[in-house]
Structure formats: C-alpha cells, structure tokens
Coordinates of all heavy atoms in Angstrom, one line a residue:
M1 N 0.8 -1.2 0.0 CA 0.0 0.0 0.0 C 0.9 1.2 0.0 O 1.8 1.3 0.8 CB -0.9 0.0 1.3 CG -1.7 1.2 1.4 SD -2.8 1.1 2.9 CE -2.0 2.4 3.8
K2 N 0.6 2.2 -0.8 CA 1.3 3.5 -0.9 C 0.3 4.6 -0.8 O -0.6 4.6 -1.5 CB 2.1 3.6 -2.1 CG 3.0 4.8 -2.2 CD 3.9 4.7 -3.4 CE 4.7 6.0 -3.6 NZ 5.6 6.0 -4.7
T3 N 0.6 5.5 0.2 CA -0.4 6.6 0.4 C 0.4 7.9 0.5 O 1.6 7.9 1.0 CB -1.2 6.3 1.7 OG1 -1.8 5.1 1.6 CG2 -2.2 7.4 1.9
E4 N -0.2 9.0 0.2 CA 0.4 10.3 0.4 C -0.3 11.1 1.4 O -1.5 11.4 1.3 CB 0.5 11.0 -1.0 CG 1.3 12.3 -1.0 CD 1.6 12.8 -2.3 OE1 1.7 12.0 -3.3 OE2 1.7 14.0 -2.4
I5 N 0.4 11.6 2.4 CA -0.1 12.5 3.4 C 1.0 13.5 3.7 O 2.2 13.2 3.8 CB -0.5 11.7 4.7 CG1 -1.6 10.7 4.4 CG2 -0.9 12.7 5.8 CD1 -2.0 9.9 5.6
W6 N 0.6 14.7 4.0 CA 1.6 15.7 4.2 C 1.7 16.2 5.7 O 0.8 16.9 6.1 CB 1.4 16.9 3.3 CG 1.6 16.6 1.9 CD1 0.7 16.0 1.1 CD2 2.9 16.6 1.3 NE1 1.3 15.8 -0.1 CE2 2.6 16.1 -0.1 CE3 4.2 17.1 1.6 CZ2 3.7 16.0 -1.0 CZ3 5.1 17.0 0.6 CH2 4.9 16.5 -0.6
G7 N 2.7 15.8 6.4 CA 2.9 16.3 7.8 C 1.8 16.0 8.8 O 1.5 16.8 9.6
Q8 N 1.2 14.8 8.7 CA 0.1 14.5 9.6 C 0.5 13.4 10.5 O 1.3 12.5 10.2 CB -1.0 14.0 8.7 CG -1.6 15.1 7.8 CD -3.0 15.4 8.1 OE1 -3.7 14.6 8.7 NE2 -3.5 16.6 7.6
S9 N -0.1 13.4 11.6 CA 0.0 12.2 12.6 C -1.1 11.2 12.2 O -2.2 11.6 12.0 CB -0.3 12.7 14.0 OG -0.2 11.6 14.9
I10 N -0.7 10.0 11.9 CA -1.6 9.0 11.5 C -1.6 7.8 12.5 O -0.7 7.6 13.2 CB -1.3 8.4 10.1 CG1 0.1 7.8 10.1 CG2 -1.4 9.5 9.1 CD1 0.4 6.9 8.8
T11 N -2.8 7.1 12.5 CA -2.9 5.8 13.3 C -3.4 4.8 12.3 O -4.5 5.0 11.7 CB -3.8 6.0 14.5 OG1 -3.3 6.9 15.4 CG2 -3.9 4.6 15.2
L12 N -2.6 3.8 12.0 CA -3.0 2.7 11.1 C -3.5 1.5 12.0 O -2.7 1.1 12.8 CB -1.9 2.3 10.2 CG -1.3 3.4 9.3 CD1 0.0 2.9 8.7 CD2 -2.3 3.8 8.3
E13 N -4.7 1.0 11.8 CA -5.2 -0.2 12.4 C -5.8 -1.1 11.4 O -6.6 -0.6 10.6 CB -6.3 0.2 13.5 CG -5.8 1.0 14.6 CD -6.9 1.2 15.6 OE1 -7.2 0.3 16.3 OE2 -7.3 2.4 15.7
A14 N -5.4 -2.3 11.4 CA -5.9 -3.3 10.4 C -5.7 -4.7 10.9 O -5.1 -4.9 11.9 CB -5.3 -3.0 9.0
T15 N -6.2 -5.6 10.1 CA -6.0 -7.0 10.3 C -5.4 -7.7 9.1 O -5.8 -7.4 8.0 CB -7.4 -7.7 10.6 OG1 -8.0 -7.1 11.7 CG2 -7.2 -9.2 10.9
V16 N -4.3 -8.4 9.4 CA -3.6 -9.1 8.3 C -4.3 -10.5 8.2 O -4.4 -11.2 9.2 CB -2.1 -9.3 8.6 CG1 -1.5 -10.1 7.5 CG2 -1.5 -7.9 8.7
T17 N -4.7 -10.9 7.0 CA -5.3 -12.2 6.8 C -4.7 -13.0 5.7 O -4.1 -12.4 4.8 CB -6.9 -12.1 6.5 OG1 -7.0 -11.3 5.3 CG2 -7.6 -11.5 7.7
D18 N -4.8 -14.3 5.7 CA -4.3 -15.1 4.6 C -5.4 -15.1 3.5 O -6.4 -14.5 3.6 CB -3.9 -16.5 5.0 CG -5.0 -17.3 5.6 OD1 -6.2 -17.0 5.4 OD2 -4.7 -18.3 6.3
R19 N -5.1 -15.9 2.4 CA -6.1 -15.9 1.3 C -7.4 -16.5 1.6 O -8.4 -16.2 1.0 CB -5.4 -16.7 0.1 CG -4.3 -16.0 -0.5 CD -3.7 -16.7 -1.7 NE -2.6 -16.0 -2.2 CZ -1.8 -16.4 -3.2 NH1 -2.1 -17.5 -3.8 NH2 -0.8 -15.7 -3.5
Q20 N -7.5 -17.3 2.7 CA -8.7 -17.9 3.1 C -9.5 -17.0 4.1 O -10.5 -17.3 4.6 CB -8.5 -19.2 3.8 CG -8.1 -20.4 2.8 CD -6.6 -20.2 2.4 OE1 -5.8 -19.8 3.2 NE2 -6.4 -20.5 1.1
G21 N -8.9 -15.8 4.4 CA -9.5 -14.9 5.4 C -9.2 -15.1 6.8 O -9.7 -14.5 7.7
N22 N -8.3 -16.1 7.1 CA -7.9 -16.3 8.5 C -6.8 -15.3 9.0 O -5.9 -14.9 8.2 CB -7.2 -17.7 8.6 CG -8.2 -18.8 8.1 OD1 -9.3 -18.9 8.6 ND2 -7.7 -19.7 7.2
P23 N -6.9 -14.8 10.2 CA -6.0 -13.9 10.7 C -4.6 -14.5 10.8 O -4.4 -15.7 11.1 CB -6.5 -13.5 12.1 CG -7.4 -14.6 12.5 CD -8.0 -15.2 11.2
V24 N -3.5 -13.7 10.6 CA -2.2 -14.2 10.6 C -1.4 -13.5 11.7 O -1.2 -12.2 11.7 CB -1.4 -13.9 9.3 CG1 0.0 -14.5 9.3 CG2 -2.2 -14.5 8.1
P25 N -1.1 -14.2 12.8 CA -0.3 -13.6 13.9 C 1.2 -13.4 13.6 O 1.7 -14.1 12.6 CB -0.5 -14.5 15.0 CG -0.7 -15.9 14.4 CD -1.4 -15.6 13.1
N26 N 1.9 -12.6 14.3 CA 3.3 -12.5 14.3 C 3.9 -11.9 12.9 O 5.0 -12.2 12.5 CB 4.1 -13.8 14.6 CG 3.7 -14.2 16.0 OD1 3.6 -13.5 16.9 ND2 3.4 -15.5 16.1
V27 N 3.0 -11.1 12.2 CA 3.5 -10.4 11.0 C 4.0 -9.1 11.4 O 3.4 -8.4 12.2 CB 2.3 -10.3 10.0 CG1 2.7 -9.4 8.9 CG2 1.8 -11.6 9.5
T28 N 5.2 -8.7 11.0 CA 5.7 -7.4 11.3 C 5.3 -6.4 10.2 O 5.5 -6.7 9.0 CB 7.3 -7.4 11.3 OG1 7.7 -8.3 12.3 CG2 7.8 -6.0 11.6
V29 N 4.7 -5.3 10.6 CA 4.2 -4.3 9.7 C 5.0 -3.0 10.0 O 4.9 -2.6 11.2 CB 2.7 -4.1 9.8 CG1 2.2 -3.0 8.8 CG2 2.0 -5.4 9.6
T30 N 5.6 -2.4 9.0 CA 6.4 -1.2 9.3 C 6.0 -0.1 8.3 O 5.8 -0.4 7.1 CB 7.9 -1.5 9.1 OG1 8.3 -2.6 9.9 CG2 8.8 -0.3 9.4
V31 N 5.9 1.2 8.8 CA 5.6 2.3 7.9 C 7.0 2.8 7.4 O 7.8 3.1 8.2 CB 4.9 3.5 8.7 CG1 4.6 4.6 7.8 CG2 3.6 2.9 9.3
V32 N 7.2 2.8 6.1 CA 8.4 3.2 5.5 C 8.3 4.3 4.5 O 7.3 4.5 3.9 CB 9.1 1.9 4.9 CG1 9.5 0.9 5.9 CG2 8.4 1.4 3.8
H33 N 9.5 5.0 4.3 CA 9.6 6.0 3.3 C 9.7 5.2 1.9 O 9.9 4.1 1.9 CB 10.9 6.8 3.5 CG 10.9 7.7 4.7 ND1 10.5 9.0 4.7 CD2 11.3 7.4 5.9 CE1 10.6 9.5 5.9 NE2 11.1 8.5 6.7
D34 N 9.7 6.0 0.8 CA 9.8 5.4 -0.5 C 11.2 4.6 -0.7 O 11.3 3.7 -1.4 CB 9.7 6.4 -1.6 CG 8.2 6.8 -1.8 OD1 7.3 6.0 -1.5 OD2 8.0 7.9 -2.3
D35 N 12.2 5.1 0.1 CA 13.5 4.5 0.0 C 13.6 3.2 0.9 O 14.7 2.6 0.9 CB 14.7 5.4 0.2 CG 14.7 5.9 1.7 OD1 13.8 5.5 2.5 OD2 15.5 6.8 2.0
G36 N 12.6 2.9 1.6 CA 12.6 1.7 2.5 C 13.0 2.0 3.9 O 12.9 1.1 4.7
T37 N 13.4 3.2 4.2 CA 13.8 3.4 5.6 C 12.5 3.7 6.4 O 11.6 4.3 5.9 CB 14.8 4.6 5.8 OG1 14.1 5.8 5.2 CG2 16.1 4.4 5.1
P38 N 12.5 3.2 7.7 CA 11.2 3.4 8.4 C 11.1 4.8 8.9 O 12.0 5.5 9.3 CB 11.4 2.4 9.6 CG 12.8 1.9 9.6 CD 13.4 2.3 8.3
Y39 N 9.8 5.2 9.0 CA 9.4 6.4 9.7 C 9.6 6.1 11.2 O 9.7 5.0 11.6 CB 7.9 6.8 9.5 CG 7.7 7.6 8.2 CD1 7.3 7.0 7.0 CD2 7.9 9.0 8.3 CE1 7.1 7.7 5.9 CE2 7.6 9.7 7.1 CZ 7.2 9.1 5.9 OH 7.1 9.9 4.8
K40 N 9.8 7.2 12.0 CA 10.0 7.0 13.4 C 8.7 7.4 14.2 O 7.9 8.2 13.7 CB 11.1 7.9 13.9 CG 12.4 7.7 13.1 CD 13.0 6.4 13.4 CE 14.4 6.3 12.7 NZ 15.1 5.0 12.9
D41 N 8.5 6.8 15.3 CA 7.4 7.1 16.2 C 7.8 8.3 17.0 O 8.9 8.9 16.9 CB 6.9 5.9 17.0 CG 8.0 5.4 18.0 OD1 9.0 6.2 18.3 OD2 7.8 4.3 18.6
S42 N 7.0 8.7 18.0 CA 7.2 9.9 18.8 C 8.5 9.9 19.7 O 9.0 10.9 20.1 CB 6.0 10.2 19.7 OG 5.8 9.1 20.5
V43 N 9.0 8.7 19.9 CA 10.2 8.6 20.7 C 11.5 8.1 19.9 O 12.5 7.8 20.4 CB 10.0 7.6 21.9 CG1 9.1 8.2 22.9 CG2 9.6 6.2 21.5
G44 N 11.3 8.1 18.6 CA 12.4 7.8 17.7 C 12.6 6.4 17.3 O 13.6 6.0 16.6
N45 N 11.7 5.5 17.7 CA 11.8 4.1 17.2 C 11.1 3.9 15.9 O 10.2 4.7 15.5 CB 11.1 3.2 18.3 CG 11.8 3.3 19.6 OD1 13.1 3.2 19.7 ND2 11.1 3.4 20.7
P46 N 11.5 2.9 15.1 CA 10.8 2.6 13.9 C 9.3 2.5 14.1 O 8.9 1.9 15.1 CB 11.4 1.3 13.4 CG 12.7 1.3 14.0 CD 12.5 1.9 15.4
A47 N 8.5 3.1 13.2 CA 7.0 3.0 13.3 C 6.6 1.6 12.8 O 6.4 1.4 11.6 CB 6.4 4.1 12.5
R48 N 6.5 0.7 13.7 CA 6.1 -0.7 13.3 C 5.4 -1.4 14.4 O 5.3 -0.9 15.6 CB 7.4 -1.5 13.0 CG 8.3 -1.9 14.2 CD 9.3 -2.9 13.8 NE 10.1 -2.5 12.6 CZ 11.4 -2.3 12.6 NH1 12.1 -2.6 13.6 NH2 12.0 -2.0 11.5
S49 N 4.7 -2.5 14.1 CA 4.0 -3.3 15.0 C 4.0 -4.7 14.5 O 4.3 -5.0 13.4 CB 2.5 -2.8 15.0 OG 1.8 -3.5 16.0
V50 N 3.7 -5.6 15.4 CA 3.6 -7.1 15.1 C 2.2 -7.4 15.4 O 1.6 -7.1 16.4 CB 4.6 -7.9 15.9 CG1 4.4 -9.4 15.7 CG2 6.1 -7.5 15.7
T51 N 1.6 -8.2 14.4 CA 0.2 -8.6 14.6 C 0.0 -9.5 15.8 O 0.9 -10.3 16.1 CB -0.4 -9.3 13.3 OG1 0.4 -10.4 13.0 CG2 -0.4 -8.3 12.2
D52 N -1.1 -9.3 16.5 CA -1.4 -10.2 17.6 C -2.0 -11.5 17.1 O -2.0 -11.8 16.0 CB -2.4 -9.4 18.6 CG -3.7 -9.1 18.0 OD1 -4.1 -9.7 17.0 OD2 -4.4 -8.3 18.6
K53 N -2.5 -12.3 18.1 CA -3.1 -13.7 17.7 C -4.3 -13.6 16.8 O -4.6 -14.5 16.1 CB -3.4 -14.4 19.0 CG -4.5 -13.9 19.8 CD -4.8 -14.7 21.0 CE -6.0 -14.1 21.8 NZ -6.4 -14.9 22.9
N54 N -4.9 -12.4 16.8 CA -6.1 -12.2 15.9 C -5.7 -11.5 14.6 O -6.6 -11.0 13.8 CB -7.1 -11.4 16.6 CG -7.6 -12.1 17.8 OD1 -8.0 -13.3 17.8 ND2 -7.7 -11.4 19.0
G55 N -4.4 -11.3 14.3 CA -3.9 -10.7 13.1 C -3.9 -9.2 13.1 O -3.7 -8.5 12.1
R56 N -4.3 -8.6 14.3 CA -4.5 -7.1 14.3 C -3.2 -6.4 14.7 O -2.4 -6.9 15.4 CB -5.5 -6.7 15.4 CG -6.8 -7.4 15.2 CD -8.0 -6.6 14.8 NE -8.0 -5.2 15.1 CZ -8.3 -4.3 14.2 NH1 -8.6 -4.6 13.0 NH2 -8.3 -3.0 14.5
Y57 N -3.0 -5.2 14.1 CA -1.9 -4.3 14.5 C -2.4 -2.9 14.5 O -3.4 -2.5 14.0 CB -0.8 -4.5 13.5 CG -1.0 -3.9 12.1 CD1 -0.8 -2.5 11.8 CD2 -1.6 -4.7 11.1 CE1 -1.1 -2.0 10.6 CE2 -1.9 -4.1 9.8 CZ -1.6 -2.8 9.6 OH -1.8 -2.3 8.4
K58 N -1.6 -2.1 15.2 CA -1.9 -0.6 15.4 C -0.6 0.1 15.4 O 0.3 -0.3 16.1 CB -2.7 -0.3 16.6 CG -3.0 1.1 16.8 CD -3.9 1.3 18.1 CE -4.3 2.7 18.3 NZ -5.2 2.8 19.5
I59 N -0.4 1.1 14.5 CA 0.8 1.9 14.4 C 0.5 3.4 14.4 O -0.4 3.8 13.7 CB 1.6 1.6 13.1 CG1 1.9 0.1 13.0 CG2 2.9 2.4 13.0 CD1 2.5 -0.3 11.6
K60 N 1.2 4.1 15.2 CA 1.1 5.6 15.2 C 2.4 6.2 14.7 O 3.4 5.7 15.1 CB 0.8 6.1 16.6 CG -0.5 5.7 17.2 CD -0.8 6.3 18.5 CE -2.1 5.9 19.0 NZ -2.5 6.5 20.3
A61 N 2.3 7.2 13.8 CA 3.5 7.8 13.2 C 3.1 9.1 12.7 O 2.0 9.4 12.3 CB 4.0 6.9 12.1
N62 N 4.2 10.0 12.6 CA 4.1 11.3 11.9 C 4.7 11.1 10.5 O 5.8 10.7 10.4 CB 4.8 12.4 12.6 CG 4.1 12.7 13.9 OD1 2.9 12.8 14.0 ND2 4.8 12.9 15.0
V63 N 3.9 11.4 9.5 CA 4.4 11.1 8.1 C 4.5 12.4 7.3 O 3.7 13.3 7.6 CB 3.6 10.1 7.4 CG1 3.7 8.8 8.1 CG2 2.2 10.5 7.2
K64 N 5.4 12.5 6.4 CA 5.6 13.6 5.5 C 5.7 13.0 4.1 O 6.5 12.1 4.0 CB 6.8 14.5 5.8 CG 6.8 15.1 7.2 CD 8.1 15.7 7.5 CE 8.1 16.1 9.0 NZ 9.4 16.5 9.5
R65 N 5.0 13.5 3.2 CA 5.0 13.0 1.8 C 4.4 11.6 1.7 O 3.4 11.4 2.4 CB 6.5 13.0 1.3 CG 7.1 14.3 1.3 CD 8.5 14.2 0.7 NE 9.3 15.5 0.9 CZ 10.2 15.6 1.8 NH1 10.6 14.6 2.5 NH2 10.8 16.8 1.9
T66 N 5.0 10.8 1.0 CA 4.4 9.5 0.8 C 4.9 8.4 1.8 O 6.0 8.6 2.3 CB 4.7 8.9 -0.7 OG1 6.1 8.8 -0.9 CG2 4.1 9.9 -1.7
F67 N 4.2 7.4 2.0 CA 4.6 6.3 2.8 C 4.0 5.0 2.2 O 3.1 5.0 1.4 CB 4.3 6.4 4.2 CG 2.8 6.2 4.5 CD1 2.3 5.0 4.9 CD2 1.9 7.3 4.5 CE1 0.9 4.8 5.2 CE2 0.6 7.2 4.8 CZ 0.1 5.9 5.1
R68 N 4.6 3.9 2.6 CA 4.1 2.6 2.2 C 4.3 1.7 3.4 O 5.0 2.0 4.4 CB 4.8 2.0 1.0 CG 6.2 1.8 1.1 CD 6.9 1.4 -0.3 NE 8.3 1.4 -0.2 CZ 9.0 0.4 0.1 NH1 8.5 -0.7 0.4 NH2 10.4 0.5 0.1
L69 N 3.6 0.6 3.4 CA 3.7 -0.4 4.5 C 4.6 -1.6 4.0 O 4.4 -2.1 2.9 CB 2.3 -1.0 4.9 CG 1.4 0.0 5.4 CD1 0.1 -0.7 5.8 CD2 1.9 0.7 6.7
E70 N 5.5 -2.0 4.8 CA 6.4 -3.1 4.6 C 5.8 -4.2 5.5 O 5.8 -4.0 6.7 CB 7.8 -2.8 4.9 CG 8.8 -3.9 4.7 CD 10.2 -3.6 5.1 OE1 10.9 -3.1 4.1 OE2 10.5 -3.7 6.2
V71 N 5.5 -5.4 4.9 CA 4.9 -6.5 5.6 C 5.8 -7.7 5.5 O 6.1 -8.1 4.4 CB 3.5 -6.8 5.1 CG1 2.9 -8.0 5.8 CG2 2.6 -5.6 5.1
V72 N 6.2 -8.2 6.7 CA 7.1 -9.3 6.7 C 6.4 -10.5 7.4 O 6.1 -10.4 8.6 CB 8.4 -9.0 7.5 CG1 9.4 -10.2 7.5 CG2 9.2 -7.8 6.9
P73 N 6.1 -11.6 6.7 CA 5.4 -12.7 7.2 C 6.2 -13.4 8.3 O 7.4 -13.2 8.5 CB 5.3 -13.7 6.0 CG 5.5 -12.8 4.8 CD 6.4 -11.7 5.3
P74 N 5.5 -14.2 9.2 CA 6.1 -14.8 10.3 C 7.3 -15.7 10.0 O 8.3 -15.6 10.7 CB 5.0 -15.7 10.9 CG 3.7 -15.1 10.4 CD 4.1 -14.4 9.1
Q75 N 7.3 -16.4 8.9 CA 8.4 -17.3 8.6 C 9.7 -16.5 8.4 O 10.7 -16.8 8.8 CB 8.1 -18.1 7.3 CG 9.2 -19.1 7.0 CD 9.3 -20.2 8.0 OE1 8.4 -20.6 8.7 NE2 10.6 -20.6 8.2
Q76 N 9.6 -15.4 7.7 CA 10.7 -14.5 7.4 C 11.2 -13.8 8.7 O 12.4 -13.7 8.9 CB 10.4 -13.5 6.3 CG 10.2 -14.0 5.0 CD 10.0 -13.0 4.0 OE1 9.9 -11.8 4.2 NE2 9.8 -13.4 2.7
N77 N 10.2 -13.5 9.6 CA 10.6 -13.0 10.9 C 11.5 -14.0 11.7 O 12.5 -13.6 12.3 CB 9.4 -12.7 11.8 CG 8.6 -11.5 11.4 OD1 9.1 -10.7 10.6 ND2 7.4 -11.4 11.8
Q78 N 11.2 -15.2 11.6 CA 11.9 -16.3 12.3 C 13.3 -16.4 11.7 O 14.3 -16.5 12.4 CB 11.2 -17.6 12.1 CG 11.6 -18.6 13.1 CD 11.2 -18.3 14.6 OE1 10.5 -17.4 14.9 NE2 11.8 -18.9 15.5
N79 N 13.4 -16.3 10.4 CA 14.7 -16.4 9.8 C 15.6 -15.3 10.1 O 16.8 -15.5 10.2 CB 14.6 -16.6 8.3 CG 13.9 -17.9 7.8 OD1 13.9 -18.8 8.6 ND2 13.4 -17.9 6.6
Q80 N 15.1 -14.1 10.3 CA 15.9 -12.9 10.6 C 16.5 -13.0 12.0 O 17.5 -12.4 12.3 CB 15.0 -11.7 10.4 CG 14.7 -11.3 9.0 CD 13.8 -10.1 8.9 OE1 13.4 -9.5 9.9 NE2 13.5 -9.7 7.7
K81 N 15.8 -13.8 12.9 CA 16.4 -13.9 14.3 C 17.6 -14.8 14.4 O 18.3 -14.8 15.3 CB 15.2 -14.3 15.2 CG 14.1 -13.3 15.4 CD 13.0 -13.9 16.2 CE 11.9 -12.9 16.3 NZ 10.8 -13.5 17.2
E82 N 17.7 -15.7 13.4 CA 18.8 -16.7 13.5 C 20.2 -16.1 13.1 O 20.3 -15.1 12.5 CB 18.5 -17.8 12.5 CG 17.3 -18.6 12.9 CD 16.9 -19.6 11.9 OE1 17.6 -19.8 10.9 OE2 15.9 -20.3 12.1

C-alpha cells in the first residue's frame, strides 16, 4: 500500500489475513519512506507493529510525503532472528 499524506499524525489499524481470510499472527508491519527506511514514532523508534493472535496491528506515526507499508510474514521474521 502506498499513500500520500503531508505532515500528519496517523494511526493505522488493520487485520492481516491469509487468502482464506484467516488472521495471521506475528506479522511485522512497518511504515516506511519510499527508499525503504522506516518512519519514526514519537520517541524515535521505527514505526512498526507485530500482529497479535487475531492478526491485528496498530501503528502511530508522523508522516511527511508518501509512505508505504512493509509487511514481513512470520516465517521470514523467524529467519531474521537466526
């Protein structure tokens, strides 16, 4: 998803589901600039969230210009920790 907003505080809330409509837990969702670097939250951490057992996430961020969501499935999350 790519959206354009100018200097606004946003809250993104959604549910990640598979093709059958089942919620997917442990998916990392990050708000990123066009170059792939994450936007920061109010304390300077990457604006990201991990879906809960119901596939839900919530992210708050201040965005300028365009942004997109980077979604990393659970299997890839596991590989990155190794």
